[in-house]
Amino acid sequence: MKTLKNLLYILFSACILISCEDPNTTEHNGYEAPEPPATVVDGNLLTVEYYSRLNEENLFQTEDYNAIISHIAATSKPLAFFFDRSDATIGQTSPVVNMAWKAKMKSFFVQNETGQLYIQGTGIIVRPLIPVFDGIHRSDSLFLAGCTLMAPCNQPVTVVLSTCKISEIYQHAQIAEALGDSLKTNKIVIGTIATDQKESFKEYLKYHMTGFRLAFHTVSDIEKTYSLFILTPVNFVSRDIQELSIGGIPMYQCKIEYLN
Amino acid sequence: MKIFKTLLILIFFCSFSNILFAQSSDTLKLMTYNLRFGELATLEEIATYIKGEAPDIVALQECDWKTNRERAPHQAGKAFVNELAYNTGLFGLYGKAINYKNGYYGVGILSKYPIVKCERVFLPNPDPKEQRVILIAEIEMPDLSTLTFICTHLEVNSTEDRKAQIRFINQKVKEIKTPVVLAGDFNATPHDEEIKNGFANWTNATDTTFTFSTMKPEIKIDYIYGYPKNSMKVISTKVDTNCKLSDHFPVCSKVIIQK
């Protein structure tokens, strides 16, 4: 009985000591994704084409996207085509609707900044008809949306390809909060971020999210004030981003591997 | 004294115009139109009509996606919503209901304003017949509020199936946090029990003018409803009986969504 009493006393004291510990002394190094395998499995690569000038300019000057339409029609590899700053004017045919009409594919539009008549945003063109276009809307400060698609990897994998634009520091917290655990459902976010915010975004996510990989692609050109970012769940990894140009419009061909 | 009077009149006039302006800027023009798979007109003609009416949001039924129908050979291979979006300058959404003639058959939405998210949901089909769907779009309005717009085309032959589908829609809208507009071809008249009871908690934004058929108008089966009941104020409604581009007449309602 005495032994039991002593044991209880020790346990009680230990509990008090632990609960009194200063939380500031606990070291929290943030989340680090494990190293991906060194070998790339080509059959598990999915390709996304991201068209962007990586600055605040409109992607298209006039209807200068005929070369892109021919390119889309001639290629079957990319799962989706994103068009950063393919802005829309209310009541007028937007570039992405026009391109989808000409390419006989499906278009979506994710607004980045809204106005009464003119909306800045990113167009998405996909080949298959999709039943869900999922978006997150935080008043006028954050728009994040994308489509659920079947990626033809070695085994078909359902992915949600989304996009958003990060221009302000306060959006970092909004993105982390809005995504929550949704990356686990194979959600991949490909978008642009103001280049001077790359490090702070990385740091924010490190301490506020887990189970993710974040990759950036920055072009060393003073006029390119934005960088490309690819945020994936930990079971995906960005393997390669190739800079190309289609009809004079800059395009970044992103290869993302599904790590099964 | 005269100057004071003039000033008063001016102030009164300015206030009144502000009220008028506020109302017009909040007014939404909604349309529902069953296209009969484009059998009776070209998509350009339909687009020209829609554009002329200048609606904010349109619900479309009987929309093909790259089919090859014997009854509408001039529409072969056309993606209706793409064509209409392109020719009207609106954003387009498509909701497939079934596979049909090497393509798809379903419903669509055209919107002047950008879409935050959308989902195609299958409706109950208890006594299996043609699969029916709802296409749900959350649309961001110019004042940054959001509106959920639902387009549907309900079962034609079975009252029981239609009742099940309306029950499902009523359950679904309870989960939605924004004001909801439901528009489409319900295949039931205002006297049918499923309409009278099924939409008791909604605001009807249409009148009783017959909407079908354009050759011999004798029933009303196309509707625009608002949910919850107090979320919509109807300004005007019109069935355009001069428009014969389909076997249904287009229905337009001007409403104010109460936030």
Side-chain angles (χ1 to χ4, degrees):
Chain A
M1 191 61 190
K2 203 177 173 187
T3 319
L4 185 67
K5 252 187 178 175
N6 282 342
L7 196 67
L8 277 173
Y9 179 74
I10 290 164
L11 273 174
F12 179 70
S13 312
C15 286
I16 288 174
L17 278 173
I18 290 165
S19 64
C20 291
E21 189 184 353
D22 182 356
N24 294 327
T25 60
T26 314
E27 202 175 351
H28 179 23
N29 295 323
Y31 174 78
E32 285 286 348
E35 280 295 312
T39 318
V40 178
V41 179
D42 286 344
N44 280 341
L45 285 176
L46 57 102
T47 307
V48 175
E49 291 190 354
Y50 199 96
Y51 294 76
S52 175
R53 294 190 185 277
L54 295 181
N55 56 26
E56 291 289 4
E57 280 175 42
N58 216 322
L59 185 62
F60 303 114
Q61 304 309 317
T62 49
E63 286 193 15
D64 49 356
Y65 35 74
N66 285 333
I68 296 176
I69 294 161
S70 308
H71 166 75
I72 289 174
T75 176
S76 59
K77 193 81 178 161
L79 198 56
F81 306 86
F82 289 78
F83 302 93
D84 174 39
R85 288 298 312 268
S86 53
D87 303 347
T89 303
I90 298 286
Q92 287 181 23
T93 306
S94 67
V96 74
V97 168
N98 195 344
M99 284 195 287
W101 175 69
K102 287 178 174 161
K104 291 188 181 292
M105 288 164 75
K106 193 75 203 79
S107 70
F108 295 95
F109 182 78
V110 183
Q111 64 270 43
N112 302 138
E113 202 174 303
T114 52
Q116 290 288 319
L117 281 173
Y118 188 79
I119 309 161
Q120 288 184 17
T122 305
I124 307 175
I125 288 186
V126 291
R127 212 163 252 113
L129 272 188
I130 56 161
V132 180
F133 172 73
D134 194 14
I136 295 162
H137 165 268
R138 293 281 179 276
S139 183
D140 62 342
S141 57
L142 176 74
F143 300 95
L144 190 156
C147 327
T148 305
L149 292 152
M150 191 66 81
C153 297
N154 284 339
Q155 280 187 326
V157 182
T158 304
V159 293
V160 185
L161 283 181
S162 307
T163 189
C164 78
K165 182 177 183 172
I166 305 169
S167 311
E168 305 290 343
I169 295 276
Y170 65 77
Q171 291 176 312
H172 303 180
Q174 289 182 330
I175 287 173
E177 189 249 315
L179 285 173
D181 284 339
S182 68
L183 283 185
K184 285 179 187 163
T185 56
N186 290 355
K187 182 173 269 188
I188 295 171
V189 189
I190 306 175
T192 54
I193 180 167
T195 300
D196 59 8
Q197 288 179 27
K198 273 172 25 182
E199 281 310 309
S200 54
F201 184 53
K202 191 175 159 185
E203 279 300 296
Y204 191 88
L205 293 194
K206 189 176 172 181
Y207 290 97
H208 293 87
M209 274 176 66
T210 56
F212 69 92
R213 294 180 198 275
L214 179 64
F216 295 105
H217 182 80
T218 306
V219 177
S220 44
D221 176 343
I222 197 153
E223 287 183 358
K224 310 269 186 212
T225 48
Y226 280 79
S227 296
L228 200 66
F229 76 88
I230 301 184
L231 178 62
T232 67
V234 73
N235 56 330
F236 287 80
V237 62
S238 168
R239 288 294 194 184
D240 182 43
I241 299 175
Q242 219 181 336
E243 290 176 37
L244 299 164
S245 169
I246 308 290
I249 309 282
M251 183 264 274
Y252 301 88
Q253 193 178 64
C254 312
K255 290 193 189 297
I256 299 162
E257 186 186 354
Y258 170 59
L259 309 170
N260 55 0
Chain B
M1 189 61 189
K2 203 176 172 187
I3 295 169
F4 183 66
K5 251 187 181 174
T6 317
L7 202 65
L8 269 179
I9 290 167
L10 262 174
I11 289 168
F12 176 76
F13 181 74
C14 287
S15 318
F16 191 63
S17 10
N18 275 345
I19 291 164
L20 277 181
F21 179 75
Q23 280 187 351
S24 63
S25 63
D26 284 348
T27 304
L28 276 183
K29 190 170 182 181
L30 309 172
M31 179 189 274
T32 182
Y33 198 7
N34 180 319
L35 303 180
R36 189 179 170 79
F37 51 85
E39 186 187 18
L40 305 176
T42 65
L43 293 173
E44 289 76 13
E45 286 171 322
I46 294 169
T48 302
Y49 174 78
I50 293 173
K51 200 171 181 180
E53 287 294 311
D56 292 288
I57 314 172
V58 187
L60 302 166
Q61 302 85 46
E62 297 202 27
C63 293
D64 279 359
W65 184 275
K66 301 180 186 175
T67 62
N68 281 295
R69 281 179 191 264
E70 293 85 359
R71 291 176 67 178
H74 60 292
Q75 307 291 16
K78 290 187 178 169
F80 279 32
V81 166
N82 268 14
E83 300 278 337
L84 295 173
Y86 172 77
N87 285 303
T88 56
L90 303 171
F91 292 109
L93 293 173
Y94 186 70
K96 171 198 150 184
I98 55 166
N99 292 334
Y100 191 77
K101 300 275 181 186
N102 304 321
Y104 309 121
Y105 174 67
V107 297
I109 293 174
L110 299 173
S111 168
K112 189 184 276 186
Y113 308 112
I115 287 120
V116 177
K117 56 181 164 183
C118 83
E119 186 182 10
R120 185 276 321 264
V121 179
F122 286 125
L123 286 174
N125 193 8
D127 179 16
K129 294 185 184 64
E130 183 184 307
Q131 181 63 57
R132 304 285 172 159
V133 299
I134 46 176
L135 182 62
I136 309 172
E138 193 178 316
I139 299 170
E140 190 187 70
M141 309 312 290
D143 65 357
L144 304 177
S145 64
T146 53
L147 169 75
T148 302
F149 189 87
I150 306 177
C151 172
T152 195
H153 186 188
L154 300 180
E155 163 57 34
V156 64
N157 291 317
S158 160
T159 305
E160 287 312 307
D161 279 17
R162 242 182 348 261
K163 281 182 183 172
Q165 290 168 354
I166 292 169
R167 269 198 303 274
F168 179 89
I169 291 169
N170 272 297
Q171 277 304 115
K172 189 82 188 165
V173 296
K174 282 181 189 159
E175 300 163 10
I176 298 171
K177 307 271 188 289
T178 70
V180 178
V181 171
L182 172 70
D185 174 355
F186 295 0
N187 275 317
T189 71
H191 309 292
D192 291 326
E193 197 189 326
E194 61 268 37
I195 300 293
K196 280 197 288 192
N197 298 338
F199 293 100
N201 295 324
W202 297 66
T203 296
N204 183 4
T206 57
D207 62 15
T208 52
T209 310
F210 296 146
T211 62
F212 180 84
S213 70
T214 47
M215 291 291 282
K216 193 179 171 193
E218 49 192 11
I219 50 173
K220 173 197 166 60
I221 53 177
D222 301 274
Y223 300 84
I224 299 170
Y225 272 102
Y227 181 91
K229 206 176 176 74
N230 58 1
S231 69
M232 181 191 273
K233 188 177 166 194
V234 185
I235 306 298
S236 65
T237 182
K238 180 183 84 172
V239 175
D240 190 347
T241 52
N242 293 317
C243 179
K244 297 189 176 173
L245 300 172
S246 166
D247 60 345
H248 287 243
F249 292 120
V251 181
C252 260
S253 296
K254 280 186 187 168
V255 303
I256 291 176
I257 303 295
Q258 322 266 21
K259 289 142 202 158

